[in-house]
């Protein structure tokens, strides 16, 4: 038997092994990101302002490579792409990935700011469920204060949609159908052509953004008041998130809070877009006070009832923490 001796190469190996975590931490990771919304729309524009700063401050730590919009991954497939890790990150709304988890669409119902959701446990509850059911981390809510509206090309004088064919996503399904509409699900990318060909008499969309895809050219009326609050958020594949080291996670978290701190933008934007619609000749259809209240009440009643049916435990928790 030969006596064991620590050779110089073995010492070198041990030193390298001890240094390795430090070397890994010093490395830069790059995340591939897509958007379920069009690249030329307001959501991606807003995202890009933030991404520029992210990437300049993240040199040596973390970078985001924005791959593109629905041409890269179709709108209703973005959720599965994040879940499976085909992409690392996405800008999306829950209504686009109810095929991954029906609860994704519940977030339109929240009525307290995301900052409050972070304080009161709602944000943590969302993350628990998103991790468990969608293999996703729910990183930040990028849009707030953007109520949805019904846009029409036929005039109505009461909250009744019988005989109207309306373009929807899961956001509006039960509410509009409950008011008598015939509903047809379509990604935003197909709405212009559907309007042009009179395939639909109207569509649901938030207060802001209809000019981005030229829908104003084919829109005559907007029904007031709005209802719910458009939820547009950043989600990330859980495995990709777990691969980040502590320094990268801390940087990511800091940037997500910085993004949410920009959310004041949306209130101003809502006012600007309302004025722009009026200028473009889009007429507001306004019900009397009682009918207007009944309209929004019905929206929330229907929304929460649908949520309660799909997942009573999570819907109950979310409602207790975020409904008014
Ligand atoms: O496409 C939609 O109408 C939709 O569901 C949605 C959700 C959030 C923001 C904008 C649109």
């Amino acid at each position: 038997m030969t006596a064991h001796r620590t050779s110089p190469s073995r010492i070198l190996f041990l030193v390298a092994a001890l240094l390795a975590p430090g070397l890994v931490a010093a490395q830069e990771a790059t995340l591939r990101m897509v958007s379920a919304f069009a690249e030329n729309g307001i959501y991606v524009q807003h995202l890009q302002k933030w991404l520029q700063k992210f990437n300049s401050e993240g040199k040596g730590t973390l970078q985001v490579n924005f791959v593109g919009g629905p041409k890269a991954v179709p709108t209703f497939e973005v959720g599965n792409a994040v879940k499976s890790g085909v992409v690392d990150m996405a800008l999306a709304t829950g209504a686009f990935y109810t095929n991954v988890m029906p609860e994704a669409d519940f977030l339109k119902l929240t009525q307290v700011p995301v900052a409050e959701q972070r304080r009161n446990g709602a944000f943590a509850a969302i993350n628990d469920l998103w991790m468990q059911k969608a293999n996703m981390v729910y990183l930040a809510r990028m849009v707030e204060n953007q109520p949805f509206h019904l846009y029409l090309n036929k005039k109505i004088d009461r909250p009744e949609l019988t005989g109207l064919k309306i373009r929807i996503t899961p956001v509006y399904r039960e509410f509009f159908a409950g008011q008598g509409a015939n509903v047809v699900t379509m990604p935003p990318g197909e709405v212009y052509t559907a309007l042009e060909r009179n395939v639909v008499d109207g569509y649901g969309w938030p207060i802001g953004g209809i000019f981005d895809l030229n829908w104003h050219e084919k829109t005559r009326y907007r029904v007031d008041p709005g209802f719910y609050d458009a939820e547009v958020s950043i989600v990330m594949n859980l495995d990709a998130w777990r691969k980040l080291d502590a320094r990268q996670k801390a940087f990511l978290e800091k940037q997500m809070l910085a993004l949410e701190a920009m959310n004041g933008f949306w209130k101003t934007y809502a006012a600007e877009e309302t004025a722009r619609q009026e200028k473009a000749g889009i007429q507001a259809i306004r019900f009397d006070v009682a009918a207007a209240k009944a309209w929004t009440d019905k929206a929330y009643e229907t929304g929460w009832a649908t949520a309660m049916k799909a997942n009573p435990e999570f819907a109950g928790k979310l409602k207790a923490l975020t409904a008014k």
Side-chain angles (χ1 to χ4, degrees), residues 32-87:
R32 278 164 45 84
M33 181 177 196
V34 295
S35 165
F37 292 95
E39 272 182 64
N40 62 344
I42 186 67
Y43 300 141
V44 173
Q45 282 172 34
H46 189 82
L47 179 82
Q48 294 284 16
K49 282 183 270 178
W50 168 79
L51 270 184
Q52 272 182 8
K53 229 171 143 246
F54 186 110
N55 283 334
S56 77
E57 290 174 14
K59 285 199 175 74
T61 306
L62 197 56
Q63 297 286 288
V64 169
N65 174 18
F66 183 75
V67 179
K71 283 189 201 93
V73 178
T75 299
F76 292 127
E77 285 167 35
V78 164
N80 274 311
V82 175
K83 184 184 181 188
S84 67
V86 165
V87 297

Side-chain angles (χ1 to χ4, degrees), residues 37 43 93 95-96 148 167 169 171-172 186 188 204-206 230-232:
F37 292 95
Y43 300 141
T93 185
F96 295 163
F148 293 101
R167 171 273 172 183
T169 67
V171 165
Y172 327 90
M186 230 180 260
W205 192 260
E231 171 268 327
V232 177

